[in-house]
Amino acid sequence: MAERDDVDAIVEQWRRERPGMRPEPMAVFGRIYRLARLVGDVQERTYARWSISRGEFDVLAALRRAGAPFTLAPRVLTASLMLTSGGMTGRLDRLERAGLIRRSPDPADRRGLQVTLTDAGRHLVEEAADAGLAVQRDLLDALPPADQERLADLLRTLLGAVPDQGA
């Protein structure tokens, strides 16, 4: 069993101060929030080696995962990354200035654009993805493989229970 942590202390404080409260969910979600923040910070530092942010990595990774020709419409990127159009525009501007993507007219829609990963962007995102996964693997090595699979299954189930995911 793992050592006690700050989340245990928070849960105990609530139990002491409000005995009927039942703060057990804090033990799960408090750790999920902290883990996401801490791992996100590590990922951010990892991607900084390529002079990109985690958000910019996400854009490049979405284009790379789309497969050849590594092209998506900005609205598809915006929806898949749960961003506002303004937030996406800022990321695309920075990535285009860095030569990692290019924007061009969509041949199927005169009013539309398409975003394409450049060769430099493809090489960068592949290297950054490998480095990011290495960080994640190192962290997950704290759990045996069977527990890693079980955790992934449990989190999938919990995520599926969140209402209004499409909103």
Side-chain angles (χ1 to χ4, degrees), residues 25-40:
M26 290 179 189
V28 173
F29 291 104
R31 288 185 179 97
I32 289 172
Y33 296 146
R34 287 171 184 240
L35 186 61
R37 188 189 74 231
L38 293 170
V39 174

Side-chain angles (χ1 to χ4, degrees), residues 58-120:
D58 290 343
V59 172
L60 297 172
L63 289 165
R64 177 62 184 92
R65 290 190 317 266
F70 313 114
T71 300
L72 293 171
R75 71 183 178 286
V76 173
L77 285 167
T78 299
S80 71
L81 299 178
M82 297 182 293
L83 290 172
T84 64
S85 60
M88 179 57 70
T89 298
R91 288 182 188 182
L92 294 178
D93 288 345
R94 287 186 298 277
L95 292 168
E96 189 170 42
R97 279 193 304 273
L100 302 174
I101 62 149
R102 86 175 153 274
R103 287 183 270 201
S104 56
D106 185 339
D109 178 0
R110 288 185 340 184
R111 295 172 297 158
L113 286 176
Q114 56 186 17
V115 179
T116 303
L117 195 60
T118 64
D119 287 341

